[in-house]
Amino acid sequence: MRHRSLLCLVTAGLLAVSGCTVERHWGGGSAPAGSGQAKVGLVTKTETNPYFVELRNAASAAARAQGAEFMALAGQFDGDNDGQVRAIENMVQQGVTTILITPNSSTGVLAAIERARQAGVMVIALDTATEPADAVDATYATDNVAAGRQQGAYVKAALGATAPKVIMIDGTAGSTVDTYRHNGFLEGIGLKDGDPAIVGRDNANGDQSIAQQKMENLLQRTTDINAVYTMNEPTARGAYAALQARGLRILMGSIDGGCQGVQNVRDGLYAATVMQFPRKMAEEGVTAAVKYARTGQKPSGFIDTGSVVITDRPMPGVPSQDTTWGLQNCWGTK
């Protein structure tokens, strides 16, 4: 599928920031709810993370299939709240009927979301919940506490009777997804923050290169570890590179379930990953946007789009699928 990409210009009515991504299938103008014409805007955290690329591609394809008009913008980096605020404001000016957003922070874009809703725009969170949850009309997302819990339960089962000595490579400090996955992992493995079994911890902002550097730094302090928590698969790949450089084979889990991540599990880079379903989030979000444009009806509440442990080393008591299933369903509609 080909998309028409436009350069981001610093002009009135467009984003007053360089480095963003704009994908548009229409030329502006308003289409109020109930008019029948859906104009859907998608705001992701970044434009480079494969997860958000898949989310954007799925939303774009769903919009075309359902006859909806579509535009996409992204923050410049994970945590770019100001960039997302400008994207929301730009979309309202462009006459969207619905904004789908993966908020960088659960609270950092609430004022912009409220202004959009006051203007009659339905706002749906994808992947990342807001706080409070009713700051948006509805949320289609992975239950990230549950996903973290699944990773933790797998690592606990794989360690067996061995006491854990864990390094945790987290995401972006303060982000909802990072907090939920972190807390879920600790719940699943049976630890609490501050437990001496957590021998090292740092944030990598979901970035592979940063994760490798942070893991290298932590390994300079101690190599007496037997498990690694990673917030997402780019983080896991970075952590693996640091471990491999020291000749360490350590039990590691992750979360995402992209095709590359599933292949990483098959190739033995890490033991398991928890697959989530961004394509399902995007497709259901677009479907809701089309329905809103046609009928004025909105979804509400939190809609869990599911998560599944993927591993070729199944553990008793931890439901899972193997990598063959994973490669057939990676980031799919389940």
Side-chain angles (χ1 to χ4, degrees), residues 203-241:
N203 297 301
N205 299 332
D207 182 89
Q208 181 171 336
S209 297
I210 296 174
Q212 181 174 348
Q213 178 185 1
K214 294 300 180 69
M215 178 60 87
E216 289 170 350
N217 293 342
L218 290 167
L219 290 173
Q220 289 176 6
R221 303 173 194 173
T222 181
T223 58
D224 185 18
I225 62 173
N226 57 21
V228 175
Y229 159 83
T230 60
M231 182 265 185
N232 67 3
E233 289 166 357
T235 300
R237 287 188 283 273
Y240 173 80

Side-chain angles (χ1 to χ4, degrees), residues 4 11 17 35 40 70 79 82-84 89 100 150 173 185 187 192 194 212 224 260 268 285 308 320 330:
R4 182 165 61 95
T11 59
V17 60
S35 68
V40 183
F70 182 79
D82 290 343
Q84 288 198 318
E89 292 171 345
L100 310 175
Q150 287 169 292
F185 175 82
E187 182 180 335
K192 295 183 181 297
Q212 181 174 348
D224 185 18
Q260 183 178 357
V308 176
S320 65
C330 45

Side-chain angles (χ1 to χ4, degrees), residues 293-315:
R294 291 174 179 170
T295 69
Q297 295 180 356
K298 299 179 179 181
S300 62
F302 181 88
I303 297 92
D304 181 8
T305 50
S307 56
V308 176
V309 174
I310 304 297
T311 183
D312 287 330
R313 295 167 52 195
M315 292 293 152

Side-chain angles (χ1 to χ4, degrees), residues 139-205:
T139 301
Y140 292 86
T142 305
D143 181 337
N144 282 294
V145 174
R149 189 185 302 121
Q150 287 169 292
Q151 184 186 159
Y154 180 88
V155 170
K156 181 178 182 179
L159 286 173
T162 303
K165 298 177 182 179
V166 185
I167 279 180
M168 301 187 71
I169 306 296
D170 289 310
T172 301
S175 78
T176 307
V177 170
D178 177 66
T179 300
Y180 285 2
R181 292 182 182 180
H182 175 98
N183 292 344
F185 175 82
L186 292 181
E187 182 180 335
I189 200 172
L191 300 175
K192 295 183 181 297
D193 276 318
D195 193 302
I198 304 171
V199 299
R201 174 184 174 185
D202 212 335
N203 297 301
N205 299 332

